Amino acid sequence: MNAEIISVGTELLLGHTANTDARDLSEMLAELGINVYWHTVVGDNPRRLIQAVDIARFRSDLIITTGGLGPTCDDLTKQTLARAFSLPLYRDAEEETFLRAWFASKKGSAPFTENNLQQADLPLGCTVFHNDWGTAPGCAFEKDGITVIMLPGPPAECRDMFRHRAMPYLRERCGGEVIRSHKMHLLGIGESEMESRLRPLMESLTNPTLAPYAKTGECFVRVTAKAATEEDCEALMAPVMEQVRQAVGDYLYGVDEESLEALVSRLLREKGMTLAAAESCTGGLLAKRMTDLPGASDIFRGGVTVYTEAAKTALLGIKPGFIAEHGVVSAAVAGKMARRVRKRLGADIGVGITGWAGPGGEDVGLVYVGVAWEGESVVRRLQCGNMTRERIRCIAANNALDMVRRCLCGAEL
């Protein structure tokens, strides 16, 4: 099945809103083994939306729209798609009842107006996707050999509607077969080297399939299999995943991990250990990522943002002469930061990060990451090059978390 995602909303074209729906849907469609070949963005204009649909229906088996399902006059996706596929609209009684009850439950804080019932108008014969995360239902129908799915635009609603409504609908249409996938996460290896190591394997496969991806600071490989049962899928994927492990070695940090910080958090809990961080160029990014996790206080003692030389002296007690001798961006200072923050906050593991995030300067992208634990410390030198400040900070934080992971696992640092 080849898919096209049509995102509807003038705010997307104007740049007022980032189109995260298309990104999220593409990731989830990959879990189903469905190829996404096109992303289209169109404003709240029926004529241009019909033109986009006319193009999509001749090149895609699956069309997914996001946005335009609400109660206002510019929410015209359902009406336009129904007209494009010659389907009349009907008012769904259950959805109308839900809408009236929903507004009644607000006790006047969200007054009911008749235009809200537009949300209950759906293409005749469609499968209704009730929206437990908002008010506008989604739907799906099949016509002329094409499957059409319409989802609301708000990102949280779109994600949950697709995962809990559309994915089961699509799985039922896989000819009785099951599609399963695993995401293998890699850090410290570039996309080109990863692809070079895996290309022979990728080119030899038909089922399962192997697809490499890159994101800021890391890469991942998705292994996808189709078979009669989940067990058969796992049996197909197991030897391929082992071949990937052999090819990439210890660049592989996990399978189906939510995030690198979630993995580090879990390992800290399993070991009964704690972490503290002293950050300069990352500006507290590592601390933010750790404290974004529920229950972080159990394993994260705290962090200090020591952005200047004076802060490193005042908060960590690193003498100005030591900084002057070695340089503020140096292996010696990163190691000292890691050891001092570990001791001062009473953590089992300390992290120190110092570097030049730019912009400009001949040393931009140079970062040192130190990790210290009982009686030992290690420093990693990174040369990120002339990247954006955001990307340099992300790479530095990723490497710090990877070093903590390796420390906890007993892997080579």
Side-chain angles (χ1 to χ4, degrees):
M1 202 178 255
N2 299 324
E4 178 159 354
I5 299 169
I6 301 178
S7 303
V8 183
T10 302
E11 71 279 4
L12 301 175
L13 291 174
L14 294 176
H16 295 165
T17 302
N19 188 13
T20 58
D21 286 347
R23 176 203 65 195
D24 294 342
L25 292 179
S26 291
E27 288 186 346
M28 290 186 285
L29 284 163
E31 295 178 31
L32 296 173
I34 294 175
N35 306 309
V36 179
Y37 286 159
W38 295 277
H39 284 182
T40 299
V41 179
V42 62
D44 298 303
N45 181 285
R47 181 177 60 84
R48 288 193 286 273
L49 178 53
I50 283 183
Q51 290 173 342
V53 171
D54 285 343
I55 293 170
R57 67 194 302 177
F58 285 109
R59 65 186 185 186
S60 304
D61 310 302
L62 171 63
I63 300 172
I64 301 177
T65 68
T66 66
L69 304 185
T72 62
C73 61
D74 59 352
D75 289 318
L76 297 172
T77 299
K78 282 180 295 188
Q79 296 89 323
T80 305
L81 269 289
R83 185 162 69 253
F85 285 89
S86 302
L87 293 173
L89 291 174
Y90 79 101
R91 178 153 296 174
D92 188 272
E94 290 185 10
E95 290 300 328
E96 178 179 354
T97 300
F98 165 76
L99 285 166
R100 292 186 184 277
W102 188 90
F103 280 97
S105 71
K106 299 304 175 182
K107 303 186 187 308
S109 62
F112 175 79
T113 54
E114 287 296 321
N115 60 343
N116 280 291
L117 294 180
Q118 175 180 302
Q119 297 173 95
D121 293 340
L122 297 161
L124 188 65
C126 72
T127 298
V128 181
F129 295 157
H130 179 68
N131 188 347
D132 283 325
W133 305 271
T135 57
C139 65
F141 64 82
E142 296 178 30
K143 185 78 182 292
D144 304 327
I146 299 168
T147 300
V148 177
I149 293 176
M150 288 181 266
L151 300 169
E157 294 181 38
C158 185
R159 283 194 301 270
D160 285 333
M161 286 279 281
F162 187 82
R163 184 163 295 281
H164 299 290
R165 302 287 187 265
M167 287 182 84
Y169 174 89
L170 289 169
R171 283 195 176 105
E172 288 179 4
R173 280 147 184 81
C174 291
E177 291 184 301
V178 173
I179 299 173
R180 290 292 179 269
S181 65
H182 289 297
K183 193 174 178 181
M184 305 181 73
H185 301 261
L186 289 75
L187 187 74
I189 185 172
E191 181 184 14
S192 58
E193 183 182 353
M194 173 186 68
E195 198 273 346
S196 176
R197 293 188 183 204
L198 296 177
R199 181 181 292 181
L201 179 58
M202 286 189 291
E203 291 178 344
S204 70
L205 295 171
T206 55
N207 184 29
T209 58
L210 195 63
Y213 301 88
K215 57 188 295 187
T216 303
E218 61 178 292
C219 303
F220 65 90
V221 180
R222 189 182 297 281
V223 186
T224 304
K226 180 186 290 187
T229 66
E230 290 187 21
E231 292 75 15
D232 290 341
C233 287
E234 294 296 338
L236 287 169
M237 288 187 286
V240 173
M241 293 173 69
E242 182 57 33
Q243 287 177 276
V244 172
R245 288 188 179 91
Q246 294 297 323
V248 301
D250 62 4
Y251 291 120
L252 178 71
Y253 73 77
V255 177
D256 298 330
E257 293 293 344
E258 180 182 346
S259 64
L260 184 52
E261 55 267 31
L263 171 61
V264 168
S265 175
R266 187 172 70 251
L267 291 173
L268 286 167
R269 291 176 193 280
E270 290 174 358
K271 301 282 185 179
M273 299 175 73
T274 57
L275 175 68
E279 302 181 65
S280 183
C281 65
T282 46
L285 177 60
L286 176 60
K288 176 194 179 301
R289 288 172 62 172
M290 291 302 298
T291 55
D292 279 345
L293 301 170
S297 59
D298 296 336
I299 47 88
F300 189 66
R301 285 293 176 90
V304 291
T305 301
V306 284
Y307 204 63
T308 64
E309 294 181 27
K312 292 175 177 65
T313 298
L315 298 177
L316 296 177
I318 302 176
K319 295 180 179 179
F322 183 88
I323 295 174
E325 178 184 357
H326 296 281
V328 68
V329 177
S330 63
V333 169
K336 181 81 78 172
M337 289 168 64
R339 292 189 293 272
R340 286 292 174 86
V341 77
R342 174 182 176 270
K343 183 176 181 180
R344 294 205 169 193
L345 295 184
D348 296 296
I349 300 174
V351 170
I353 306 172
T354 181
W356 302 112
E362 62 182 47
D363 289 326
V364 64
L366 176 62
V367 179
Y368 289 92
V369 181
V371 173
W373 62 102
E374 185 64 40
E376 296 189 60
S377 63
V378 172
V379 177
R380 181 183 290 182
R381 182 182 188 273
L382 308 174
Q383 185 56 66
C384 304
N386 192 18
M387 299 177 179
T388 64
R389 289 171 64 82
E390 180 183 14
R391 189 168 185 184
I392 291 169
R393 286 173 165 176
C394 179
I395 290 172
N398 278 355
N399 275 269
L401 288 166
D402 181 57
M403 291 176 71
V404 174
R405 173 190 71 85
R406 288 170 179 268
C407 176
L408 292 165
C409 295
E412 183 179 352
L413 282 161

